[in-house]
Amino acid sequence: MSTPVNRGQWSSRFGFVLAAAGSAIGLGNIWRFPYTAGQNGGGAFVLVYLIFVALIGIPVLLSELSVGRATRLNPVGAYRKLAPGTAWPWLGAIGVACGFGILSFYSVIAGWTLGYGYYAIQGRFSGDFDAAASNEVFTNLVSGPMVPVALCAVFLLLTALVVRGGVSSGIERAAKILMPIFFVLLLFMAIRSVTLDGASAGLEFFFHVDFSKLIEDPSVIGSALGQALFSLSLGMGAMITYGSYLPKEENVPVSAVSVALFDTTIAILAGLIIFPALFHAGVDPQVGPGLVFVAMPSIFGALPAGTLFGIVFYILLAIAALTSTISLLEVIVSYFVDNRGWTREKAVWIVTLISFVLAVPSALAFGASSFFTNLPGGGFLGLMDLIFGKYGLTIGAFGICVFVGWFWGVPKALAEIESSGHRLPAAAAWGFLVRWVCPVAVLIIFALVVAGRANW
Ligand code: TRP
């Protein structure tokens, strides 16, 4: 293992928070959160989600950041340094594998956002653009075969170009430019959406908590927890990696809470954009994963200034996805740089190429190849999501809790978190959550995933 010299670090806390929030905020917030909330009963799901972010998400985030900052290494190197001669580094290796798996399918969906951005610029979503037309556009785009593969390649290339620039001049600089643009665009869209006719029905669906929904279907709870982990980029060591670039003097508790607040705010803003627009246009909120691709365009057609609305929306989605794919790639690249002694340049291009090869079957899994489309578990992309996004992340999240709570130990992790002199408020509660509540909760979602009862 090489010593962590010249790995680079964030130039400021603000830079770290924007980069980590950039990782957390992504398709998970704008594509997945609204359709998952839609399918899981609206307000009840949203409430449980918020509780899980606070009680599970923030404690796990602090755990990952403490391991990263203590070791200044990628997940494999970090576990190896803190637990030499044990099997713990394998947990880091699962994280790196999840990086490849998630990056590959995520960039396929991210590629579609580029396609939609282009359609929006062409003005295709204006006038009498109805749901049937919208479905046709979606099916034509995703069934490719050339276009989805090419769009995914473009997306991976953009990701590689940023990661190649390194931590502060690549990732941090990109986040500092992209995240504020993103936030302003979202606010503008949310204001537009909540002032539409019929918006109040959408707000009612999104915020009204109907507890009977939780009792009727416990999978709502599992889905909310899974979504909280995915949305905060937890469970594969992305936050170990980002924490490894945190300067020693930074205030970790405040950084972690800021990232979680930022991520949650964006998910709620996405809901404020999508639900009023859905109810305005009379679209069923339960349409599922096609929501932002199939349902939103027909809504743009029905909106005043719909073309502009559409262009802004898909640019947003692409920006959000880019700052997330950057973090997925960075986890893998940091492993090859720290542990294998590769140069950043070499690691970036080789890893991007492998990810692209892995992404091709996912890109072909929407009609272009009947084999990849019809694989059990929702086609190749669904299968990748199940293996890496659901099994992989829950195993990784369970592992980091056991590691920090029981193996490395809460006192050492706490000492690391507080080493800059900034106290962790409610430190005893954090220890209890990490040792008991988080691992048990994550085991429960793991069981729900095995039983096919968690849909996030
Ligand atoms: N959190 C991102 C989103 O919401 C996706 C993501 C990026 C991610 N890096 C991750 C998820 C690491 C899990 C682990 O879209």
Side-chain angles (χ1 to χ4, degrees):
M1 196 187 338
S2 61
T3 42
V5 283
N6 294 331
R7 297 175 75 244
Q9 62 179 4
W10 311 115
S11 67
S12 64
R13 173 169 3 132
F14 185 61
F16 162 75
V17 169
L18 284 187
S23 164
I25 297 164
L27 296 173
N29 302 60
I30 301 185
W31 164 70
R32 202 174 243 184
F33 177 77
Y35 87 74
T36 312
Q39 286 181 321
N40 283 288
F45 172 88
V46 176
L47 177 70
V48 178
Y49 176 80
L50 295 177
I51 295 172
F52 281 146
V53 167
L55 291 187
I56 316 280
I58 293 177
V60 177
L61 176 57
L62 280 167
S63 304
E64 288 204 15
L65 291 177
S66 70
V67 167
R69 202 176 65 158
T71 57
R72 328 211 111 241
L73 286 168
N74 68 87
V76 177
Y79 284 116
R80 191 175 289 163
K81 186 163 176 185
L82 295 177
T86 66
W88 282 105
W90 283 101
L91 193 64
I94 293 176
V96 174
C98 285
F100 276 111
I102 298 176
L103 179 60
S104 72
F105 78 78
Y106 199 94
S107 32
V108 171
I109 300 166
W112 298 347
T113 67
L114 295 179
Y116 267 75
Y118 178 68
Y119 291 160
I121 291 170
Q122 283 183 318
R124 283 184 59 176
F125 304 138
S126 59
D128 53 356
F129 190 82
D130 62 10
S134 184
N135 221 340
E136 197 183 316
V137 169
F138 182 70
T139 312
N140 282 343
L141 174 71
V142 301
S143 63
M146 290 310 286
V147 176
V149 173
L151 289 173
C152 166
V154 170
F155 210 88
L156 279 170
L157 193 66
L158 290 173
T159 308
L161 289 174
V162 174
V163 173
R164 179 174 163 262
V167 175
S168 65
S169 56
I171 302 174
E172 181 173 338
R173 193 190 305 157
K176 276 186 177 164
I177 299 168
L178 296 178
M179 296 308 291
I181 300 178
F182 176 70
F183 193 69
V184 171
L185 289 181
L186 268 187
L187 270 182
F188 165 78
M189 292 261 307
I191 292 167
R192 181 72 204 84
S193 198
V194 297
T195 50
L196 291 169
D197 286 342
S200 57
L203 296 176
E204 163 86 15
F205 177 82
F206 191 48
F207 287 121
H208 177 73
V209 179
D210 178 355
F211 285 101
S212 66
K213 295 213 165 113
L214 297 179
I215 297 158
E216 273 162 32
D217 186 4
S219 72
V220 170
I221 295 175
S223 307
L225 182 49
Q227 171 63 19
L229 291 180
F230 183 84
S231 189
L232 288 172
S233 300
L234 298 174
M236 58 161 267
M239 293 299 170
I240 294 181
T241 308
Y242 273 29
S244 75
Y245 305 127
L246 258 177
K248 284 291 178 200
E249 62 279 6
E250 280 311 340
N251 185 335
V252 179
V254 167
S255 302
V257 172
S258 315
V259 171
L261 273 180
F262 221 146
D263 185 61
T264 308
T265 307
I266 301 290
I268 299 293
L269 268 181
L272 286 179
I273 293 168
I274 288 175
F275 290 105
L278 281 184
F279 280 77
H280 170 82
V283 175
D284 179 3
Q286 306 209 26
V287 288
L291 187 61
V292 302
F293 293 108
V294 181
M296 289 306 285
S298 55
I299 295 167
F300 300 138
L303 290 181
T307 296
L308 183 64
F309 209 44
I311 294 171
V312 170
F313 186 79
Y314 289 107
I315 290 177
L316 273 178
L317 206 54
I319 292 176
L322 183 63
T323 52
S324 297
T325 51
I326 288 169
S327 75
L328 291 160
L329 181 58
E330 178 63 22
V331 172
I332 319 171
V333 165
S334 70
Y335 164 72
F336 285 105
V337 171
D338 293 341
N339 282 41
R340 303 272 158 172
W342 292 10
T343 62
R344 177 166 276 272
E345 182 89 20
K346 171 179 167 192
V348 164
W349 293 119
I350 294 181
V351 171
T352 302
L353 193 69
I354 296 172
S355 304
F356 175 65
V357 171
L358 277 175
V360 170
S362 287
L364 300 179
F366 294 84
S369 147
S370 60
F371 175 74
F372 291 129
T373 306
N374 298 322
L375 282 176
F380 193 85
L381 190 144
L383 209 56
M384 293 295 272
D385 182 24
L386 182 66
I387 295 170
F388 297 104
K390 294 187 167 65
Y391 282 109
L393 293 185
T394 40
I395 291 169
F398 178 73
I400 185 89
C401 296
V402 173
F403 184 79
V404 168
W406 300 92
F407 188 87
W408 190 40
V410 168
K412 284 193 192 137
L414 191 60
E416 176 60 41
I417 292 171
E418 294 186 333
S419 64
S420 56
H422 302 92
R423 308 273 311 172
L424 175 64
W430 173 70
F432 178 75
L433 289 169
V434 171
R435 284 166 73 95
W436 298 102
V437 180
C438 301
V440 170
V442 174
L443 267 189
I444 294 173
I445 30 168
F446 186 78
L448 286 167
V449 172
V450 174
R453 297 291 303 274
N455 303 306
W456 72 84

